[in-house]
Amino acid sequence: QVQLVESGGGLVQAGGSLRLSCAASGRTFSGYTMCWFRQAPGKGREFVAAIRWSGGSTYYADSVKGRFTISRDNANNTVYLQMNSLNPDDTTVYYCAASLYGSTWYLSPEMYAYWGQGTQVTVSS
C-alpha cells in the first residue's frame, strides 16, 4: 500500500544541477523520517540526506553538505533533493526511503522499511 516513486534523474554536465522528487502515498508520513540514499554498482547503499516531515529538520552526509538541499511539500506528500555543483562522483542510482523516526538520525539502510525503485543520475565530465 505504501509507495515511494522517484523522478527527476537524468544526464547533466559537471557543475550542473538536478532536482529529484519522491512522491509518497499510502499513509500519512507526519511521524516519519524521509531520506535519500545512493548506490553505485558493486557498492553498498550510501546515506545522502534526511528530513523529518513534522518539523522539517535535516541532516546531510559530509560528501554533499553545501551542495545538496533536501526539502518537503506536505500538501503534495513529496520530498525533493536539489543537487548543485554536481561532479562525476555523484553518478549513481538515487533511492528514496522512509522510516518511523526515533531520537537519532538513522544512517543505515537497514533502519528504513519503505523504498522507491530508484532514479538514475549521470554526471558527465
Side-chain angles (χ1 to χ4, degrees):
Q1 185 175 357
V2 173
Q3 187 175 37
L4 306 176
V5 181
E6 302 97 334
S7 62
L11 175 64
V12 65
Q13 294 183 356
S17 299
L18 284 174
R19 182 181 174 90
L20 305 184
S21 298
C22 174
S25 62
R27 72 189 304 155
T28 299
F29 291 90
S30 59
Y32 280 73
T33 295
M34 307 295 294
C35 73
W36 291 93
F37 283 82
R38 61 187 182 184
Q39 186 172 25
K43 303 292 185 179
R45 198 156 291 191
E46 176 190 14
F47 174 82
V48 176
I51 187 169
R52 290 180 173 172
W53 280 107
S54 297
S57 59
T58 59
Y59 187 84
Y60 297 91
D62 289 340
S63 60
V64 305
K65 192 174 299 182
R67 298 189 298 126
F68 292 7
T69 302
I70 188 171
S71 61
R72 88 261 190 250
D73 182 346
N74 288 336
N76 293 315
N77 250 25
T78 302
V79 178
Y80 303 97
L81 185 68
Q82 178 67 47
M83 305 185 295
N84 299 326
S85 301
L86 287 164
N87 61 69
D89 291 337
D90 298 316
T91 295
T92 188
V93 178
Y94 285 72
Y95 297 89
C96 181
S99 179
L100 185 67
Y101 64 79
S103 60
T104 63
W105 295 102
Y106 300 142
L107 308 185
S108 173
E110 288 78 14
M111 301 302 296
Y112 291 84
Y114 306 108
W115 293 87
Q117 294 300 305
T119 185
Q120 175 71 49
V121 172
T122 302
V123 184
S124 64
S125 59

